[in-house]
Amino acid sequence: MYDYLIVGAGLYGAVFAHEMKKQGKTCLVLEKRDHIAGNIYTALEEGIHVHKYGAHIFHTNDRKVWSFITQFAEFNRYTNSPVANYKGEIYNLPFNMNTFSKMWGISTPEEARAKIEEQKKEALASLEGEPKNLEEQAISLIGTDIYEKLIKGYTQKQWGRACTELPSFIIKRLPVRFIYDNNYFDALFQGIPVGGYTQIVEKLLDGTEVRLSTDYLEEVKKAKAQGCENPETLGLAKKVVYTGPIDAYFDYSLGTLQYRRVEFEEEILPVDNYQGNAVVNYTDADTPFTRIIEHKHFEFAHRYHADGSLLTPEEEAADPKTIIYREYSVEWKIGDEPYYPVNDDANNALYAKYKALADQEKNVIFGGRLGEYKYYDMDVVIKVALEKVQEVISAG
Ligand code: FAD
Ligand code: UDP
């Protein structure tokens, strides 16, 4: 009998297992995929740590979270500074003085503000009150030129809908700065773990039994068929920590929550540097993908041997390689891998109904990005997992 049956070997499940082990509790982890680490899984290919489920940049303002995560890896000084490519024209992101000066040939914050104000007045003369959709919100923030070149096409590709039909909150998280600063995140701590993310989860799960390629919900079905008294624990543990999709746990009985999904097209190229940056967004409407990630730039173009040592310049020159991922945004349907929860009003309302059902499950803790249906970044996942452990331990 284990103390906890943890469903999902992602970051939430691994942090929970690690902390509970420190408290002397026993955990069994079941993972549907054939590897640990959930969406932060990285794999070494051609000497490059490839982010297999999309680019992950660690950033936080929380000292406690930063000191927690840095126990398990050394972080490099990578700063996220994406570049936008609009039909061959290159602009810095997020929107800042570098973007404005390239777009308009201006040099001071005053000139930039005046330009935005002028374009906003012209385009939104008839607007009364708050912006009603993403288009109006974007034009209010940075004017029509940037909206047309850097937002309109990208957003439509990413969300599969016109900007006039999207809520304004989506764009609010993008910083607009009147200083020359290409750093995307306003975070005190930022970086990429040297050696990738998978090793962090490996260390978190050290000493904990993990069963891969095991779908918990299928196991519950079997347990029910066998007349097991507490099918949700599979008769194996006192409590369950479930980090899969909350609607799947309840067999979608109230309806399906929506997710956004990303598809990656991987290409291995015989060059040492393809695009000169880790992230390049293609912001026009005609290019079918949203962005290209060149993974080696997350680690300053270093390549590694399996033992963690760096390739020598001679080894690099003899066999230059880079790996790129073209990202396509696609509709999600049941059975697909869920990526981003769509936290709009309709989906949040449906989630609230599932949450009410979840609260009645006495033996099950729902956690993580899918279990709580929240657009959590990694730092928040760590924070909420640590808090949950504290809460459970204090409750005895
Ligand atoms: P997950 O990683 O999804 O883990 C859940 C695990 O449960 C999975 O391994 C899944 O296979 C397993 N599971 C589900 N159902 C079952 C079942 N029935 N039986 C057994 N196992 C099951 N965060 C950042 O901080 N910075 C970033 O730059 C960033 N970029 C991102 C880019 C993308 C494309 C995505 C999708 C996310 C990004 N994130 C980023 C968020 C980050 O991935 C999450 O915060 C984190 O991975 C969530 O961890 P989790 O354990 O909650 O979920
Ligand atoms: N966005 C855009 N152009 C860009 C980058 C972002 O229009 O070059 C918009 C887009 O609508 C996106 C939102 O800003 O959904 C938030 O972007 P971010 O990259 O922060 O979001 P994520 O990819 O993490 O969802």
Side-chain angles (χ1 to χ4, degrees):
M1 199 67 172
Y2 296 88
D3 291 305
Y4 292 96
L5 173 68
I6 298 177
V7 181
L11 188 58
Y12 188 100
V15 169
F16 194 95
H18 181 264
E19 290 298 297
M20 279 302 179
K21 186 165 174 281
K22 275 187 1 201
Q23 299 287 336
K25 307 285 182 197
T26 54
C27 300
L28 169 66
V29 179
L30 302 188
E31 170 54 56
K32 193 165 77 166
R33 301 180 190 175
D34 63 2
H35 61 77
I36 60 165
N39 285 345
I40 67 171
Y41 178 64
T42 49
L44 192 66
E45 293 175 8
E46 304 290 351
I48 299 161
H49 292 105
V50 178
H51 300 206
K52 298 299 289 185
Y53 296 88
H56 278 74
I57 299 126
F58 198 93
H59 56 97
T60 189
N61 281 311
D62 189 325
R63 276 177 200 283
K64 221 171 135 186
V65 166
W66 184 245
S67 42
F68 178 84
I69 196 73
T70 48
Q71 294 174 84
F72 306 101
E74 190 184 350
F75 278 67
N76 69 20
R77 58 156 190 87
Y78 180 82
T79 301
N80 193 29
S81 310
V83 158
N85 181 326
Y86 176 77
K87 301 186 179 181
E89 293 171 29
I90 297 294
Y91 296 95
N92 286 114
L93 294 172
F95 308 126
N96 74 89
M97 284 305 296
N98 290 310
T99 328
F100 305 144
S101 98
K102 175 90 186 259
M103 185 70 72
W104 298 313
I106 53 103
S107 57
T108 67
E110 198 186 345
E111 288 171 302
R113 284 186 206 275
K115 198 85 188 164
I116 291 171
E117 201 49 39
E118 173 196 317
Q119 296 195 346
K120 179 180 157 185
K121 258 197 191 137
E122 200 172 306
L124 299 177
S126 57
L127 176 71
E128 282 171 22
E130 289 294 300
K132 288 180 294 300
N133 56 46
L134 194 149
E135 178 171 293
E136 291 181 358
Q137 177 72 49
I139 294 174
S140 302
L141 281 174
I142 36 77
T144 39
D145 286 340
I146 292 182
Y147 170 67
E148 292 290 341
K149 288 189 169 180
L150 304 183
I151 294 182
K152 194 176 177 183
Y154 186 91
T155 302
Q156 287 186 5
K157 285 190 290 188
Q158 181 142 340
W159 295 92
R161 272 180 279 167
C163 292
T164 46
E165 289 163 29
L166 286 164
S168 49
F169 78 83
I170 292 177
I171 206 80
K172 277 191 186 154
R173 59 183 251 149
L174 264 183
V176 179
R177 296 201 191 107
F178 293 90
I179 50 174
Y180 290 91
D181 179 5
N182 299 327
N183 176 7
Y184 204 75
F185 297 118
D186 274 321
L188 209 50
F189 308 105
Q190 180 172 188
I192 301 281
V194 179
Y197 286 95
T198 306
Q199 47 148 1
I200 294 181
V201 180
E202 253 163 32
K203 289 179 195 161
L204 285 167
L205 291 174
D206 188 29
T208 296
E209 187 181 342
V210 181
R211 294 186 196 159
L212 296 176
S213 308
T214 308
D215 186 331
Y216 163 75
L217 296 174
E218 292 301 319
E219 298 299 311
V220 171
K221 275 186 203 153
K222 283 187 218 158
K224 278 184 182 156
Q226 287 161 4
C228 176
E229 203 180 322
N230 286 316
E232 74 280 7
T233 67
L234 306 177
L236 290 174
K238 293 178 198 150
K239 283 214 184 266
V240 176
V241 176
Y242 177 83
T243 74
I246 188 167
D247 53 349
Y249 180 92
F250 294 105
D251 204 17
Y252 308 102
S253 56
L254 303 174
T256 317
L257 291 166
Q258 286 179 303
Y259 297 89
R260 266 175 55 216
R261 198 166 74 85
V262 188
E263 239 167 45
F264 305 106
E265 184 181 77
E266 174 168 345
E267 205 175 334
I268 302 175
L269 299 167
V271 296
D272 72 331
N273 185 1
Y274 173 73
Q275 63 182 13
N277 205 35
V279 185
V280 178
N281 292 359
Y282 284 76
T283 56
D284 66 294
D286 299 332
T287 306
F289 44 86
T290 49
R291 54 185 193 177
I292 299 182
I293 305 294
E294 187 172 5
H295 297 265
K296 72 191 311 192
H297 293 305
F298 287 124
E299 292 182 296
F300 303 100
H302 292 147
R303 285 168 69 199
Y304 296 85
H305 293 290
D307 67 3
S309 63
L310 282 174
L311 261 71
T312 62
E314 294 74 31
E315 285 171 325
E316 286 270 17
D319 184 24
K321 284 273 160 50
T322 195
I323 298 184
I324 60 164
Y325 270 31
R326 290 188 191 83
E327 276 190 27
Y328 298 82
S329 186
V330 284
E331 284 289 314
W332 174 89
K333 56 183 186 326
I334 291 184
D336 289 344
E337 205 64 71
Y339 280 83
Y340 304 93
V342 180
N343 286 119
D344 61 8
D345 291 347
N347 281 289
N348 286 342
L350 180 57
Y351 167 70
K353 292 185 188 161
Y354 277 118
K355 170 83 170 65
L357 284 185
D359 288 343
Q360 288 163 29
E361 293 281 307
K362 292 282 166 281
N363 292 328
V364 187
I365 294 165
F366 291 79
R369 210 171 41 95
L370 305 173
E372 298 176 57
Y373 194 66
K374 300 230 163 53
Y375 202 131
Y376 283 155
D377 277 333
M378 291 178 278
D379 61 328
V380 186
V381 167
I382 293 170
K383 181 172 180 281
V384 294
L386 292 175
E387 283 170 358
K388 183 54 82 178
V389 171
Q390 275 311 314
E391 182 191 316
V392 173
I393 294 293
S394 322

